[in-house]
Amino acid sequence: MSTRGAIAVPNPHRKGWWGRYHHFDSYPMGLGQELFRLYHDTFDRDATLMAQVLVHEHPAGWSNLVRPYTPRPFEREDFEHAGFRGLGDPEHDAYPLCYCHGARKESAHALTCACPGGPEGCGPVFIEWAYVLTVTGMFVATSWHPNAEAGRALVHRLVALVDWDRPEPDWVQVQHRARAVNVPDLTL
Ligand SMILES: [Zn+2]
Ligand SMILES: [Zn+2]
């Protein structure tokens, strides 16, 4: 099942974020949890290095970097072998699957969000979840309808701030915030 998302960093020029597409399982219990584990286990609490690898070094984005069959994330060396491998490839599940390396070799593509402003290519209709990496934590944004009855377009809004220094949050709770009318407090 594809739940599409973005792995992002704050936009240095203005408010909002920019980042890369992530195709599969991008909801908090999937990609959100995996990013928390990657920060602690794989990138040794270095958010700058993590963003360098996940956002800058794979400019076409990701099919999937959630490691299957194990609660442990991919290791640092595994990202050296990142690339796209089809289902018929015996190493299909062995390494992170990106669209720029390996069999796909797609060109760079940035998702830039300035919601709720004008259309910026962040695709709130199909990018359901976005994770914005900072040195202190990870902002979680979701796409929602600010006023469905008035026919307003979908926009991204922040629903949580995951503090790197606090215990792992309840990802179910984060996921449920997508349907909350108001999220007055981003902390968990
Ligand atoms: Zn790549
Ligand atoms: Zn947006």
Side-chain angles (χ1 to χ4, degrees):
M1 173 67 195
S2 65
T3 299
R4 296 172 284 189
I7 303 168
V9 293
N11 193 325
H13 305 299
R14 49 196 285 189
K15 75 190 253 308
W17 49 261
W18 76 274
R20 307 300 187 192
Y21 181 66
H22 186 275
H23 187 71
F24 284 103
D25 299 341
S26 300
Y27 40 82
M29 292 166 68
L31 181 59
Q33 178 178 66
E34 195 79 349
L35 290 170
F36 191 85
R37 290 174 177 166
L38 283 164
Y39 173 82
H40 287 282
D41 297 353
T42 302
F43 293 103
D44 293 328
R45 304 173 52 81
D46 185 340
T48 305
L49 174 62
M50 181 170 165
Q52 175 65 28
V53 174
L54 302 190
V55 177
H56 297 273
E57 292 181 5
H58 295 280
W62 301 92
S63 170
N64 200 352
L65 57 69
V66 179
R67 192 182 199 181
Y69 315 125
T70 162
R72 293 194 53 77
F74 283 118
E75 294 175 18
R76 190 72 189 84
E77 306 79 64
D78 295 326
F79 282 92
E80 311 280 329
H81 303 281
F84 194 84
R85 295 168 177 83
L87 284 170
D89 189 318
E91 292 193 317
H92 172 74
D93 289 325
Y95 302 107
L97 295 162
C98 69
Y99 290 124
C100 24
H101 299 83
R104 292 278 283 255
K105 295 186 172 56
E106 294 181 13
S107 51
H109 181 66
L111 299 166
T112 305
C113 180
C115 287
E120 292 280 346
C122 59
V125 174
F126 66 98
I127 301 294
E128 289 184 52
W129 294 95
Y131 303 91
V132 186
L133 309 174
T134 79
V135 292
T136 56
M138 176 169 72
F139 286 94
V140 183
T142 187
S143 60
W144 84 307
H145 232 294
N147 187 347
E149 288 171 14
R152 296 275 298 280
L154 284 162
V155 295
H156 291 116
R157 66 162 176 168
L158 296 176
V159 290
L161 171 56
V162 176
D163 189 327
W164 296 130
D165 290 331
R166 299 199 52 203
E168 183 165 4
D170 177 352
W171 298 105
V172 177
Q173 182 194 349
V174 177
Q175 206 151 315
H176 283 167
R177 286 190 182 181
R179 296 194 299 271
V181 175
N182 290 303
V183 182
D185 182 358
L186 293 179
T187 57
L188 293 155

